[in-house]
Amino acid sequence: MKGFGNLLEGYRRFRANRFQTARDRWQELAEGQAPRAVVIACSDSRADPATIFDTSPGEIFVVRNVANLVPPFETGGGRHGVSAALEFAVTQLNVPEIVVMGHESCGGITAALTGMFHGAAAGEGGFVHKWMSQIEGPAEAISSEHGTGEDAQRKLEEVSIRQSLANLRTFPFVATREKNGTLKLLGCHFSIRDGELWLLDEAEDIFRPV
């Protein structure tokens, strides 16, 4: 229980310090939320959006999954966790920005690039493989031309961000709001090693450091 014990110690510090010094803010948050952005990020423990953007509770609505992917709009079978979160944030909370944040050394990207879980059963990498099959085409093209090293990894990480932005625009409630100017879409990439954020300039299709 050492791991959970550490979490409980963290909770006690939060309760004694951060909660006590911002009780009024927590009382406001108990009445509802009005986040200023949706951040779609990877589940990776090293790429926490709240830490990277130095935000407080209530500021960002975070959706995390393997490799920060957004599937295209579809209404068929399956449980659409990303779609449900997007729908709620955009149509109910009227969040004005959606940020897709990829990151360096993403394990899901590595899996797609190397095919390490291809043919694996559920519970042995099969779930990861099926999820990452969303970018299987680009992964095969990049690995064929550039191999599977750091450069190829970065290229596919950037592709995943671009594809998620494209897929966001297949959601009618996203596309309509972006067209009328009430919703903005952004893509960025975080370097774990350097602590540097790179922002996608969609007009020129290039990532630049902030």
Side-chain angles (χ1 to χ4, degrees):
M1 291 291 288
K2 182 178 179 180
F4 187 61
N6 288 341
L7 292 178
L8 288 179
E9 285 303 311
Y11 160 72
R12 292 186 181 102
R13 290 192 301 273
F14 157 76
R15 178 72 179 169
N17 300 309
R18 293 183 64 188
F19 181 79
Q20 293 300 333
T21 59
R23 288 188 69 99
D24 290 345
R25 176 57 177 157
W26 286 103
Q27 294 302 315
E28 290 176 10
L29 290 173
E31 300 302 319
Q33 60 175 318
R36 63 190 187 191
V38 176
V39 180
I40 299 167
C42 184
S43 300
D44 195 297
S45 61
R46 302 164 296 175
D48 173 37
T51 299
I52 293 164
F53 294 116
D54 192 24
T55 59
S56 298
E59 290 191 78
I60 56 175
F61 187 98
V62 182
V63 183
R64 301 184 73 170
N65 61 53
V66 175
N68 44 269
L69 294 179
V70 177
F73 176 78
E74 55 187 2
T75 58
R79 294 182 171 91
H80 305 293
V82 175
S83 303
L86 279 173
E87 181 182 64
F88 183 76
V90 173
T91 70
Q92 304 303 306
L93 299 179
N94 296 308
V95 174
E97 292 186 336
I98 301 177
V99 180
V100 177
M101 188 187 78
H103 71 93
E104 177 183 39
S105 303
C106 178
I109 295 294
T110 300
L113 196 62
T114 62
M116 61 190 293
F117 294 129
H118 185 78
E124 298 176 359
F127 286 128
V128 174
H129 174 70
K130 182 163 181 64
W131 178 251
M132 295 309 302
S133 68
Q134 297 177 73
I135 57 170
E136 191 170 50
E140 290 176 352
I142 289 172
S143 63
S144 176
E145 184 174 354
H146 302 283
T148 58
E150 284 188 17
D151 288 346
Q153 174 93 14
R154 177 62 181 261
K155 287 181 185 297
L156 190 56
E157 286 164 359
E158 292 183 356
V159 164
S160 76
I161 295 165
R162 292 186 179 97
Q163 180 167 310
S164 287
L165 289 169
N167 286 347
L168 279 168
R169 293 181 171 112
T170 67
F171 288 77
F173 54 84
V174 170
T176 298
R177 285 167 173 79
E178 184 181 34
K179 186 176 181 179
N180 67 27
T182 59
L183 180 64
K184 185 174 183 179
L185 307 187
L186 300 163
C188 60
H189 181 277
F190 178 68
S191 168
I192 295 171
R193 182 182 292 107
D194 300 321
E196 194 169 54
L197 192 71
W198 294 65
L199 187 65
L200 174 61
D201 181 337
E202 288 197 270
E204 297 188 22
D205 195 30
I206 188 171
F207 284 82
R208 292 191 175 92
V210 174

